[in-house]
Amino acid sequence: MSHTAPLVVVGNPDNRRVGSFRAAGHAAGLRVHVLPWRELAAGDVSLPDRAQVRIDSPGEDAEVDRLLRGADQPLAHGEISGGAAWYAGLLAALARLTVAAQRAGATLLNDPADIATMFDKGACQRRLAQAGVAQPAALDDAPADWAALRAALAAAGWARVFVKPVHGSSASGVLALHLAGDRVQAVTSVEAADDGRLYNSLRLRAYRTEREVASIVDRLAPDGLLVQRWFPKAGLHGRVFDLRVLVIAGQPDHVVVRSSEGPVTNLHLGNRRGDPAAVRAVLGPQRWPAALAECVSAARCFTGSLHVGVDLMIASDWRRHAVAEVNAFGDLLPGVCDDAGRDSYAAQLHAVRTGRFTAWRAAAAMERSA
């Protein structure tokens, strides 16, 4: 990164993500300009000449969500609805940003095509599969409703699965589903209102009647679902866990252990961080590097992106692992630093300024052309 090249972040100005990135830029002697998502979601934008442009999450802003969905009114707080419309709006906004970047001769540090794929869980799963990345098995087709899901699981012989909205994030709308004969249980953060509308909650709950679960699935299915077979996770000290591994320009130097008493490990749902050193010690000198290498393999599917957040599951036998998801905006990891003491944002700036990101992209291009 040239010291004279403008540095721009597309984000929500008051969001902690933008604040953290601006702080990292300030510490590096760089001024960070903010292009608000509200402007990009609403229409055409312009960029400074030769800018370096980082795209951050459009989340946590009701007006941005409304604009992306093309709706007249914002959703109620926490409401889950309109995922397909939101995704179409995201694609349109990213297309406008691409045009603005071309006009300004700017460099996008996150490839819009990569972001589009990571926000389509089905497309992301297929890209990982083509690259041979280990991941849970998934149904080939998205179920249109609860009846179709029931039939597909019976045909596959699967009793336990994760049901995920294809355009969701942060466990929004995710169900850990267990079928046992006539018994049904879904563990989820979804709160179903009396009128059928669905809301995100910060508390996990279990639905144990088929009527309740069917109502939720039928409400989510029109916007698209990915159904992955249950992958039994390893546990430590009575809690299961998975890993969020942030890969920056090919280096997996920031790792968070997300531990839970139940099947959903997202930290905002009352779960807690575990100890990476303890996990590393159990995995040992061969399996720990192999697990991180799988995350790099997943990131190699998205080499137009400076960073990706890989959710990696370690199997209950501690001998296997699988990538659950790859996140375009999975770098909000407060207090987590690499061996040089850089947080996730400072490490990204370092990768750009030292040319490591450029080298990572170039190496990937050579691999594709070979």
Side-chain angles (χ1 to χ4, degrees):
M1 178 189 296
S2 167
H3 288 282
T4 59
L7 181 60
V8 176
V9 58
V10 180
N12 297 323
D14 295 331
N15 191 276
R16 55 183 174 163
R17 294 172 177 272
V18 170
S20 296
F21 184 69
R22 295 184 76 179
H26 179 76
L30 301 170
R31 181 184 176 189
V32 178
H33 306 266
V34 180
L35 172 58
W37 258 108
R38 290 192 182 191
E39 294 183 15
L40 179 58
D44 294 335
V45 295
S46 61
L47 293 167
D49 289 344
R50 303 294 174 185
Q52 301 271 356
V53 184
R54 165 190 164 85
I55 307 169
D56 215 323
S57 171
E60 301 180 33
D61 187 301
E63 178 61 12
V64 171
D65 177 81
R66 183 192 71 79
L67 289 167
L68 291 177
R69 288 184 298 107
D72 293 332
Q73 297 293 328
L75 291 172
H77 180 69
E79 186 176 358
I80 305 169
S81 182
W86 178 91
Y87 183 67
L90 176 71
L91 296 185
L94 292 175
R96 290 193 293 271
L97 183 65
T98 300
V99 170
Q102 291 169 344
R103 288 174 176 166
T107 299
L108 299 178
L109 301 179
N110 319 68
D111 181 0
D114 283 356
I115 295 173
T117 299
M118 283 184 270
F119 269 100
D120 181 333
K121 296 185 193 301
C124 185
Q125 188 252 354
R126 291 188 292 273
R127 183 178 291 190
L128 295 176
Q130 290 171 357
V133 174
Q135 57 185 322
L139 293 181
D140 291 333
D141 299 314
D145 53 24
W146 170 251
L149 174 58
R150 262 287 208 178
L153 295 182
W158 296 353
R160 303 185 78 179
V161 294
F162 272 88
V163 181
K164 303 177 179 181
V166 293
H167 305 306
S169 61
S170 301
S172 176
V174 172
L175 292 86
L177 179 64
H178 186 193
L179 304 176
D182 293 334
R183 291 180 295 170
V184 176
Q185 176 175 282
V187 176
T188 179
S189 61
V190 171
E191 181 177 354
D194 292 340
D195 62 2
R197 289 193 292 178
L198 306 180
Y199 296 86
N200 285 309
S201 169
L202 295 180
R203 180 176 68 86
L204 290 171
R205 66 199 68 215
Y207 294 95
R208 294 186 173 88
T209 71
E210 184 159 357
R211 180 187 60 80
E212 291 174 317
V213 177
S215 176
I216 293 172
V217 171
D218 287 345
R219 193 91 177 189
L220 295 172
D223 285 316
L225 296 172
L226 173 69
V227 182
Q228 291 178 318
R229 191 174 190 181
W230 192 285
F231 186 90
K233 298 174 186 173
L236 274 178
H237 311 303
R239 299 172 68 89
V240 299
F241 71 89
D242 61 15
L243 306 177
R244 165 63 59 84
V245 180
L246 181 64
V247 182
I248 300 173
Q251 294 190 7
D253 293 334
H254 298 76
V255 179
V256 172
V257 178
R258 308 185 305 180
S259 72
S260 170
E261 294 179 348
V264 182
T265 58
N266 297 70
L267 294 178
H268 72 283
L269 298 176
N271 298 314
R272 63 175 185 244
R273 290 184 182 184
D275 181 4
V279 175
R280 181 172 185 167
V282 178
L283 282 172
Q286 293 183 330
R287 291 195 293 270
W288 174 260
L292 295 186
E294 196 73 68
C295 298
V296 175
S297 294
R300 197 172 286 118
C301 296
F302 302 98
T303 49
S305 295
L306 172 60
H307 66 89
V308 297
V310 181
D311 292 343
L312 186 77
M313 300 179 292
I314 308 298
S316 55
D317 62 6
W318 290 84
R319 296 184 178 278
R320 297 171 295 123
H321 53 254
V323 172
E325 294 188 13
V326 183
N327 304 272
F329 306 125
D331 58 342
L332 181 63
L333 307 175
V336 179
C337 296
D338 61 16
D339 290 341
R342 291 184 286 260
D343 69 10
S344 60
Y345 301 104
Q348 289 172 53
L349 287 172
H350 183 263
V352 174
R353 298 179 76 188
T354 60
R356 201 180 82 233
F357 179 44
T358 301
W360 163 252
R361 273 180 159 171
M366 289 183 63
E367 287 181 10
R368 287 193 296 267
S369 64

